[in-house]
Amino acid sequence: MGGEQVQEAVEHGLTVLGTVVDQDWKGVKAGRLEWDCRETAEHVASDLIAYAGQLAGRPTARYVPFEIDMAECENNADVLEVIRTTGALLTAAVHTTPRSVRAFHPYPFRAADREGFAAMGVAEVLLHTHDIAEGLGLPASAAVPPAGLGLCESVLARLFPHVRPGDDPWTTLLWATGRGELPGRAPVTEWRWSNPLHIDAENVVLQGVHPAAAADLAEGGTGGFAWIAGGPVEGTRVGAGMVFQAYEAGVHRPEWGMFVLVRKEDGFAVGALGYHGAPDEEGRVEIGYDLVEGARGRGHMTDAVRALAGWARERSREPGDVQSLFAVVDKVNAPSQNVLSRAGFDKVSDDWGDGEHGAQFAYELRLRA
């Protein structure tokens, strides 16, 4: 998801809305929205420049207060020209922003990266094009994005990782944003974007892996990360496959998913760390991890596990949520045992299950006394 997809979405929107540019957009309600069609089009332009501004200025605590003055837009064609221009600004901002950059966005973890802002920009254009087209009486098929572009699949996998994908990505996206119905699923009345969680550690950043990246990793790709030589390792690919399977089943909870460890000093990915699922009824959740061989022995995984435990500890304040982290390690894997010990885990079993080399050690970290 990048600048090309933003541009494709904008061109699609301009093409659709260009067919009704001579109609009166003021006072005509846009689909199920409270805004009229003119207000909705202005909102699209405002969002596009806001997202571009966030990536350019990179504020971490609030939105940069851009406001577009549409007073000089005499007609609908003028408004579309503003959408074209702000779309180009977001496209350029996405192209020129490093992958590691995060800027403020409220949902759900108060930050988003360039992919997130690109995906939100694409979604705003596609969805509000649909709203305006519906309000102005165009047939439902008129606003359907070209399937070959894959825009809807990309938006769903990046911004709706908790939503089980349906047979028709466009219909699923409309349902997920309260704009339509899907057989067997309850109507959606409230929704939010869900940008991946990033957790900052001392020497690495734990970057949440959304389903699109997980699918690529599982199939032999990089997941969009720049890896050191030898990575990603097989354990990372297996874990990514589990993430994507959970997504397809509609049971993926992104905050209890998988993270790639990105080294701060050079931006290279060195390993992965993640949960085996959401906390169980007792509030216990199992973790697993691995490092590329060339990154071992430098404290990266200890740093990452401590950071993950710190984030989980914050969540443990909520009733019914995580209470402890659990890990199982082969008895011959002394480095992994040392990681857990340094991160504050206690050994709770000398004879847990059967691993590759027989019985394993089990470790647990209680998050609250």
Side-chain angles (χ1 to χ4, degrees):
M1 176 64 74
E4 294 85 357
Q5 286 71 37
V6 174
Q7 196 62 43
E8 288 169 350
V10 169
E11 290 300 327
H12 164 72
L14 294 175
T15 298
V16 173
L17 299 181
T19 65
V20 289
V21 73
D22 293 330
Q23 293 189 33
D24 186 1
W25 292 9
K26 293 183 178 180
V28 179
K29 187 176 178 182
R32 303 186 183 189
L33 304 181
E34 294 301 319
W35 298 322
D36 67 23
C37 292
R38 169 72 179 241
E39 291 171 321
T40 303
E42 293 178 354
H43 170 79
V44 171
S46 295
D47 274 343
L48 292 173
I49 196 171
Y51 295 159
Q54 293 302 96
L55 287 176
R58 304 170 190 177
T60 58
R62 63 187 61 82
Y63 266 114
V64 175
F66 279 109
E67 183 175 348
I68 299 179
D69 184 356
M70 297 283 192
E72 294 188 12
C73 292
E74 298 180 355
N75 52 47
N76 298 327
D78 291 343
V79 176
L80 293 185
E81 192 60 38
V82 177
I83 291 176
R84 183 187 301 278
T85 302
T86 53
L89 289 172
L90 178 56
T91 296
V94 172
H95 276 312
T96 56
T97 299
R99 192 188 190 286
S100 60
V101 167
R102 301 273 285 172
F104 175 80
H105 188 276
Y107 306 119
F109 303 114
R110 299 184 66 78
D113 60 12
R114 68 184 186 190
E115 272 200 35
F117 282 110
M120 289 185 287
V122 168
E124 291 285 353
V125 173
L126 297 183
L127 293 169
H128 290 316
T129 295
H130 162 82
D131 297 332
I132 296 171
E134 184 177 54
L136 295 174
L138 288 177
S141 59
V144 178
L149 299 180
L151 297 176
C152 299
E153 295 96 325
S154 294
V155 167
L156 286 167
R158 286 165 173 80
L159 299 180
F160 297 89
H162 52 290
V163 170
R164 175 169 56 86
D167 295 333
D168 180 0
W170 175 239
T171 303
T172 303
L173 181 59
L174 292 179
W175 169 81
T177 57
R179 290 172 167 82
E181 290 72 41
L182 274 183
R185 303 200 201 186
V188 173
T189 57
E190 292 186 16
W191 62 274
R192 292 283 187 268
W193 308 129
S194 184
N195 283 290
L197 171 65
H198 285 207
I199 301 175
D200 192 53
E202 184 175 351
N203 297 307
V204 297
V205 177
L206 285 64
Q207 297 192 9
V209 176
H210 53 65
D216 185 60
L217 282 167
E219 294 170 1
T222 65
F225 297 89
W227 291 83
I228 64 170
V233 299
E234 183 61 23
T236 295
R237 298 199 186 281
V238 171
M242 294 170 60
V243 168
F244 191 72
Q245 289 173 7
Y247 170 63
E248 288 190 308
V251 297
H252 178 51
R253 289 179 61 186
E255 65 270 35
W256 302 110
M258 175 181 175
F259 302 86
V260 164
L261 277 56
V262 176
R263 205 160 51 189
K264 289 184 178 180
E265 65 183 57
D266 55 15
F268 283 102
V270 298
L273 166 65
Y275 302 100
H276 289 188
D280 62 21
E281 294 179 355
E282 297 179 355
R284 186 172 72 174
V285 59
E286 185 174 352
I287 66 170
Y289 48 84
D290 54 42
L291 275 175
V292 180
E293 186 174 356
R296 294 172 186 170
R298 304 181 185 182
H300 293 323
M301 191 55 71
T302 299
D303 185 23
V305 172
R306 284 172 175 164
L308 189 73
W311 184 84
R313 186 171 285 109
E314 290 296 315
R315 292 297 301 268
S316 70
R317 297 174 181 176
E318 301 178 17
D321 216 324
V322 60
Q323 298 301 312
S324 69
L325 302 184
F326 184 77
V328 176
V329 182
D330 286 339
K331 290 186 176 182
V332 298
N333 192 346
S336 186
Q337 296 164 31
N338 292 335
V339 165
L340 295 172
S341 296
R342 288 193 294 266
F345 284 67
D346 296 316
K347 187 190 296 183
V348 294
S349 174
D350 290 322
D351 189 23
W352 187 275
D354 293 318
E356 182 179 352
H357 303 284
Q360 301 168 299
F361 292 135
Y363 290 80
E364 190 169 18
L365 174 64
R366 300 293 302 179
L367 300 173
R368 292 290 165 191

